[in-house]
Amino acid sequence: TTPLTMNAFELISTSQGLNLSSLFEK
Amino acid sequence: MGCLYSKNARNVPGYEEPTVLAAETPFTVDEVQALYELFKKISSSIIDDGLIHKEEFQLALFRNRNRRNLFADRVFDLFDLKRNGVIEFGEFVRSLGVFHPNAPMADKIAFAFRLYDLRHTGYIEREELKEMVLALLHESDLVLSDDVVEMIVDKTFKDADTKGDGRIDQEEWKEFVSRYPSLMKNMTLPYLKDITLAFPSFVLSSEVED
């Protein structure tokens, strides 16, 4: 999927700031 | 056998009994205790005061205490339920509860809506959507011309704003998410189901007091 085919929210949801799984990385 | 969690944690500001937190969230008491291990680690990374400050949150997320990010700011603000600039343990557990695989989808959808409602108006407005797209581009080094950004924002807004009143309300958001379920992917953290495996030291060294 390229940014041009994604809707704006799909694009936003790729933000690292929304990826809380990194809180669990040791 | 005594409980290390209770003895050590009771002195921490914002301390709440794990049994209370387990009753209000999808976590078991063991899982709440394992989360305390994670909380301790994050909350002591810069200032060891039993509270998560924004810089500590950024450090845990990005391995960089100074990395500002609009979305991380929004997540921090939503976790900070008392709005006093820090995340207490109870706030941490209650907020992470929304990200549990067993948490109700309606809670995840509502959380994401509040995340994107930057100005707390109860609606996601076009201007906010564009601001978030620009923030994402800035963070990712992805380069799109302003025309392309406008096109993406316009198209998305028309798709989501089914009532055509120039703003996305919670009902429209719910409907939009049902058409694009991938939007909710980062609202579920599979790790939370295995949190006692990720932080087993406490669980192995203690038992819960009844």
Side-chain angles (χ1 to χ4, degrees):
Chain A
T1 314
T2 64
L4 290 177
T5 61
M6 292 165 95
N7 72 51
F9 287 108
E10 286 172 322
L11 203 52
I12 290 164
S13 70
T14 64
S15 168
Q16 258 191 291
L18 296 175
N19 181 11
L20 299 192
S21 60
S22 49
L23 291 178
F24 302 88
E25 284 164 15
K26 297 194 176 183
Chain B
M1 193 173 176
C3 179
L4 289 172
Y5 171 91
S6 301
K7 279 179 190 164
N8 294 335
R10 279 200 176 111
N11 301 322
V12 169
Y15 168 82
E16 289 186 62
E17 290 289 344
T19 47
V20 172
L21 292 171
E24 291 180 19
T25 63
F27 299 113
T28 64
V29 173
D30 272 357
E31 287 168 342
V32 171
Q33 291 174 334
L35 277 177
Y36 187 67
E37 293 298 309
L38 173 63
F39 180 81
K40 261 198 316 191
K41 190 180 136 197
I42 299 173
S43 66
S44 63
S45 62
I46 298 174
I47 308 165
D48 192 2
D49 60 356
L51 300 163
I52 298 178
H53 296 255
K54 189 171 274 184
E55 282 194 340
E56 291 174 322
F57 191 68
Q58 288 165 186
L59 185 62
L61 268 186
F62 305 123
R63 307 285 173 265
N64 179 341
R65 63 195 279 180
N66 297 318
R67 179 157 168 208
R68 296 299 303 271
N69 178 289
L70 172 70
F71 304 103
D73 278 357
R74 291 295 299 139
V75 172
F76 184 91
D77 290 347
L78 287 184
F79 273 47
D80 176 16
L81 299 167
K82 292 183 186 165
R83 303 201 58 76
N84 59 353
V86 287
I87 302 172
E88 296 173 2
F89 181 57
E91 294 174 325
F92 186 69
V93 175
R94 287 191 176 86
S95 301
L96 276 181
V98 176
F99 293 80
H100 193 283
N102 296 345
M105 184 51 75
D107 292 356
K108 295 174 189 286
I109 293 171
F111 189 98
F113 184 86
R114 286 191 291 138
L115 200 59
Y116 297 148
D117 175 14
L118 299 181
R119 309 200 209 304
H120 321 110
T121 56
Y123 302 94
I124 302 170
E125 285 151 52
R126 192 189 180 285
E127 198 181 315
E128 291 170 323
L129 188 58
K130 184 170 179 189
E131 185 179 335
M132 291 187 281
V133 171
L134 292 176
L136 183 275
L137 293 181
H138 180 70
E139 147 189 356
S140 66
D141 293 329
L142 194 64
V143 179
L144 296 177
S145 70
D146 195 55
D147 282 354
V148 171
V149 171
E150 284 287 331
M151 186 195 78
I152 292 172
V153 172
D154 261 347
K155 195 162 169 259
T156 303
F157 215 83
K158 273 180 194 143
D159 194 9
D161 178 24
T162 49
K163 294 171 189 166
D165 62 355
R167 55 193 191 177
I168 300 166
D169 63 25
Q170 293 200 46
E171 193 186 345
E172 289 166 330
W173 174 244
K174 202 174 156 187
E175 194 271 328
F176 188 72
V177 166
S178 73
R179 284 190 281 128
Y180 300 97
S182 67
L183 292 179
M184 286 295 108
K185 207 175 158 196
N186 52 18
M187 287 303 303
T188 294
L189 297 169
Y191 298 83
L192 292 175
K193 264 204 154 168
D194 301 321
I195 192 75
T196 55
L197 299 177
F199 295 91
S201 59
F202 174 80
V203 177
L204 290 173
S205 63
S206 68
E207 287 178 1
V208 180
E209 293 169 341
D210 288 328

